[in-house]
Amino acid sequence: VGVGAGRVDDLVVVTAELGHGHVLAELHSPEEAETWMRRDLVEGRRDRLDLLVIGRHAGPHERLDVVVEASEATPGSLVYTYESTLDHTGHEKGCTSPEWRDRLRGIDHDLADLRAELAPGTAMLVTADHGMLDLPRDGRFDVEAEPHLLADVTVFAGEARFRHLYTRSGTEQEVAGRWRDRVGEQALVLTRDEAEAAGWFGSIDDAVRPRIGDVVVASLGDFGVFSSRHFGIELHMAGFHGSVTPAEMRVPLLVDL
């Protein structure tokens, strides 16, 4: 396994022979890569798996060369790459900003160059893991201004568009009721059991269930739930995602054979 220097917004390329099942991963550091490779998930597959972590300062040509080389290394392989800069630009500048559109154009050009370099018969799929929307300042609700909403809440987590509230045992219905009264139609407020019954999280393993908040708050429209005390950095962001609206959940899938 060859692993180079990595950071949080690195490009990760994973290749695996489809005939033996494919393994995908997004890794943030050489140390995490080594830990991942020791997991049972890939135990016994190391001779069929290549992992490359490319530093964030790698230029587009270097990144293109790595992806093309990986795709040609093994016949019938799957190569997965991740581009983080569009998401980062959206969070910082907004997804309707000139900067975001410029970055999208740059990625479009990079993809055209990649398509031209891929060998004949290589399929290319382009998709996203979520959408995004910009939140106006007047749609940002700071929960610190109404501390009664945090009564019986032991941990305030998640993100502005989708909050997870972990509550004292047996108080989730009361907490959910207080939040519903406050946010009205600006958000969907469900207990964990209600969200599971609605299929929001698909099939939930028992070991994973406690990670979901006892109460979840899914923002709608131009609304978001903030905490200037715990997550002040979010108040400086422009673009957000994480809730259940079409703008955040519907993503494109472009297929070129």
Side-chain angles (χ1 to χ4, degrees):
V1 180
V3 180
R7 291 184 62 170
V8 172
D9 51 355
D10 289 337
L11 164 71
V12 177
V13 179
V14 176
T15 68
E17 293 181 35
L18 291 179
H20 298 279
H22 61 272
V23 181
L24 304 181
E26 179 182 338
L27 306 174
H28 301 153
S29 70
E31 294 75 22
E32 185 177 347
E34 291 296 331
T35 299
W36 185 82
M37 287 300 293
R38 288 194 295 269
R39 291 177 55 190
D40 292 340
L41 177 65
V42 294
E43 197 66 39
R45 304 184 189 179
R46 296 181 186 179
D47 60 330
R48 299 191 294 274
L49 182 67
D50 294 315
L51 171 66
L52 302 131
V53 182
I54 310 302
R56 64 177 299 195
H57 298 298
H61 295 295
E62 181 180 356
R63 291 156 60 97
L64 184 150
D65 290 343
V66 169
V67 175
V68 172
E69 181 180 348
S71 70
E72 296 176 347
T74 306
S77 65
L78 170 71
V79 180
Y80 165 82
T81 71
Y82 176 67
E83 164 60 60
S84 64
T85 58
L86 188 66
D87 180 67
H88 289 190
T89 303
H91 283 307
E92 182 180 1
K93 301 295 185 179
C95 62
T96 58
S97 67
E99 293 87 351
W100 187 90
R101 294 180 182 276
D102 287 344
R103 184 77 286 273
L104 181 61
R105 292 188 188 97
I107 293 172
D108 189 47
H109 292 153
D110 292 344
L111 290 173
D113 290 342
L114 175 59
R115 176 70 271 182
E117 293 295 327
L118 291 173
T122 302
M124 185 170 79
L125 286 75
V126 181
T127 190
D129 52 345
H130 55 71
M132 183 174 284
L133 50 77
D134 296 344
L135 286 186
R137 295 295 168 182
D138 59 4
R140 304 180 179 211
F141 167 57
D142 187 353
V143 70
E144 305 302 331
E146 299 188 32
H148 70 281
L149 290 173
L150 298 176
D152 298 317
V153 175
T154 58
V155 178
F156 180 85
E159 53 189 311
R161 290 288 290 176
F162 199 100
R163 287 298 177 195
H164 290 254
L165 310 177
Y166 301 87
T167 66
R168 299 185 189 282
S169 179
T171 64
E172 62 271 11
Q173 292 292 347
E174 295 178 25
V175 171
R178 283 195 291 269
W179 277 82
R180 289 188 187 112
D181 290 342
R182 171 57 183 83
V183 301
E185 296 182 354
Q186 294 176 298
L188 299 174
V189 180
L190 279 67
T191 64
R192 179 194 297 154
D193 290 343
E194 291 169 341
E196 181 176 4
W200 279 17
F201 301 102
S203 178
I204 305 175
D205 188 275
D206 289 340
V208 176
R209 185 170 287 104
R211 301 183 188 181
I212 301 171
D214 298 294
V215 176
V216 293
V217 182
S219 294
L220 304 174
D222 294 332
F223 184 70
V225 178
F226 293 77
S227 169
S228 55
R229 176 184 177 189
H230 297 292
F231 302 106
I233 186 69
E234 288 184 322
L235 289 167
H236 299 286
M237 293 164 54
F240 296 85
H241 53 76
S243 194
V244 297
T245 68
E248 293 159 282
M249 293 187 66
R250 297 187 65 185
V251 297
L253 172 61
L254 307 179
V255 181
D256 183 47
L257 302 177

